[in-house]
Amino acid sequence: MKNSLRKLRPALLLLMALLLPVLHVAAQTAAANEPEMADSLRLNGKIYVVVAVITVVLAGLLFFLASLDRKLTRLEKEVRD
């Protein structure tokens, strides 16, 4: 399992390096525009539901990728032997 996490680490770091500037620009633009939808979601407390759903989806994708990597590693070892 540690081996699969080591393999995923560069990909995750690259993804973060690519997404952080985009998120920074998006945050600055959102602060300047102040969309009404975000205000209404925040006032009703539904913004937490949106954040929770996004978090669950991303966690599910990461779990799927990690399990797929483990399966592929096991198959590669079988083919080598």
Side-chain angles (χ1 to χ4, degrees):
M1 183 165 169
K2 288 184 181 181
N3 193 16
S4 64
L5 291 177
R6 286 184 184 153
K7 290 180 182 178
L8 285 176
R9 190 177 300 160
L12 291 174
L13 289 175
L14 177 65
L15 181 65
M16 285 176 38
L18 293 174
L19 286 180
L20 284 177
V22 173
L23 292 175
H24 179 68
V25 170
Q28 287 178 343
T29 305
N33 294 340
E34 292 293 326
E36 295 174 12
M37 181 181 68
D39 290 335
S40 66
L41 285 175
R42 194 176 305 118
L43 288 175
N44 294 334
K46 293 182 181 178
I47 192 74
Y48 301 112
V49 174
V50 173
V51 171
V53 168
I54 291 171
T55 303
V56 167
V57 168
L58 289 177
L61 284 172
L62 286 176
F63 176 75
F64 173 72
L65 286 175
S67 66
L68 188 64
D69 184 51
R70 276 188 259 127
K71 289 177 184 178
L72 284 173
T73 304
R74 185 179 42 198
L75 285 173
E76 287 174 350
K77 286 181 183 178
E78 282 183 20
V79 168
R80 285 183 199 156
D81 295 339

